[in-house]
Amino acid sequence: MSGGLPCGPAPYQNETARFEMNNQILAIQLSDSFSQLLRDLADEHGVELTQQSAADPGELARAAAVLVVAGGIEHEATSHIEQATAVTAAPMAVIGSATDHTAIIPLVRSGASDYFALPGDVDRLRAWFEEATRRVRFNQEAAQLADQERASYDFSRMIGESAELRAALQRAARIIPRADATVLITGE
């Protein structure tokens, strides 16, 4: 089956695109506090850190995890967290200096999964970075696996453009990666 017309997107294309995007930690810097600490933690864990002063929807969509750095202005972080949760399901945490629960509760209610009051919570923040790094590495490995699978089961060189053939190939693409499945496609 050589040559021919493409018959639709390669299998796993959507999954690959999703995994390729989630490869960074995004820090929304409402305050310049702790910038160097975040860069040091990112370097220590070998993960990409993007620091911005406002939440960019495109960057949020590519983030494996999101940090909102409030550093004394925790009351301003709530709207940024709500914006971010509307765009991404990535874990979100806030870094600040307040230890008063009345400042922290609204942050958690708006979507933050954790709060780190620095300098006291540096070890907890380091553990959070380790988990985020594992998530980034998982996403990279998943993207590589999806690329390998797409290359192994590439039907794009088959001749045919009918909707029935495309539907059959899409079903086959979902089944083929299973080790115990056999696929037989018949027809004219």
Side-chain angles (χ1 to χ4, degrees), residues 125-141:
L125 179 59
R126 181 172 277 112
W128 186 90
F129 253 88
E130 288 172 10
E131 177 60 31
T133 302
R134 279 193 290 276
R135 190 174 303 107
V136 166
R137 296 224 168 83
F138 168 79
N139 290 338
Q140 291 169 341
E141 290 170 7

Side-chain angles (χ1 to χ4, degrees), residues 31-174:
S31 160
D32 289 333
S33 303
F34 318 118
S35 294
Q36 186 59 49
L37 172 64
L38 294 179
R39 284 192 295 274
D40 292 345
L41 286 170
D43 289 345
E44 176 183 321
H45 291 92
V47 68
E48 179 184 347
L49 175 71
T50 301
Q51 295 174 296
Q52 297 181 336
S53 59
D56 174 82
E59 292 295 326
L60 283 167
R62 286 186 287 276
V66 178
L67 285 169
V68 178
V69 182
I73 53 172
E74 282 75 3
H75 61 281
E76 292 183 24
T78 304
S79 63
H80 290 276
I81 295 168
E82 289 169 349
Q83 262 185 317
T85 56
V87 176
T88 183
M92 199 164 317
V94 179
I95 299 173
S97 56
T99 56
D100 179 19
H101 71 281
T102 59
I104 299 166
I105 289 173
L107 300 171
V108 174
R109 283 187 179 155
S110 65
S113 61
D114 214 333
Y115 178 85
F116 304 103
L118 297 183
D121 288 339
V122 170
D123 289 336
R124 286 184 56 237
L125 179 59
R126 181 172 277 112
W128 186 90
F129 253 88
E130 288 172 10
E131 177 60 31
T133 302
R134 279 193 290 276
R135 190 174 303 107
V136 166
R137 296 224 168 83
F138 168 79
N139 290 338
Q140 291 169 341
E141 290 170 7
Q144 290 173 348
L145 177 60
D147 286 342
Q148 291 170 352
E149 292 293 308
R150 185 176 49 249
S152 296
Y153 307 111
D154 181 14
F155 298 121
S156 66
R157 297 186 322 187
M158 291 186 75
I159 298 173
E161 291 186 16
S162 72
E164 293 83 7
L165 178 60
R166 277 191 233 135
L169 293 176
Q170 287 174 348
R171 280 193 303 273
R174 288 192 302 266

